[in-house]
Amino acid sequence: MAFQPCDHRWLASELADLALGPAPSGFVRAADRAGPERLSLADAVTLPRAKDGKAPPRLITLPPIGATLRAYADGVNLPGADAKIGGPSFRGFLDR
């Protein structure tokens, strides 16, 4: 399963801009927000441990069972082409 984590400070600024900006005329869905780096769940667990000098964890990969997990495995949770990408990468976040 992959995802694109975004920096909480960047996301808070984006949400404040949306909330304080002009009111939409009718229902308008805001573009998704995502960080610049696509990671697997295994990367998200392994990278912080490597930064701390720890051994990588033992990871077990299981097949996606059920419609929801299959959808996530197919990337339905990833940002679309109209998403706004911003903030530092996950690796940049770890380097702080």
Side-chain angles (χ1 to χ4, degrees):
M1 178 169 41
F3 62 105
Q4 279 183 241
C6 58
D7 181 70
H8 63 283
R9 292 180 188 102
W10 175 76
L11 182 59
S13 173
E14 289 292 310
L15 293 176
D17 289 347
L18 284 172
L20 299 173
S25 59
F27 177 78
V28 178
R29 186 178 186 279
D32 290 336
R33 303 302 198 262
E37 182 178 26
R38 186 169 292 179
L39 296 172
S40 69
L41 190 54
D43 289 337
V45 172
T46 303
L47 289 171
R49 291 184 59 87
K51 182 180 179 341
D52 292 339
K54 297 178 181 176
R58 288 183 166 184
L59 300 174
I60 300 171
T61 303
L62 300 173
I65 298 172
T68 302
L69 291 180
R70 280 194 301 273
Y72 275 87
D74 291 340
V76 73
N77 61 311
L78 296 172
D82 64 339
K84 185 169 182 182
I85 307 297
S89 67
F90 186 69
R91 287 175 175 85
F93 169 77
L94 291 177
D95 288 340
R96 289 185 188 174

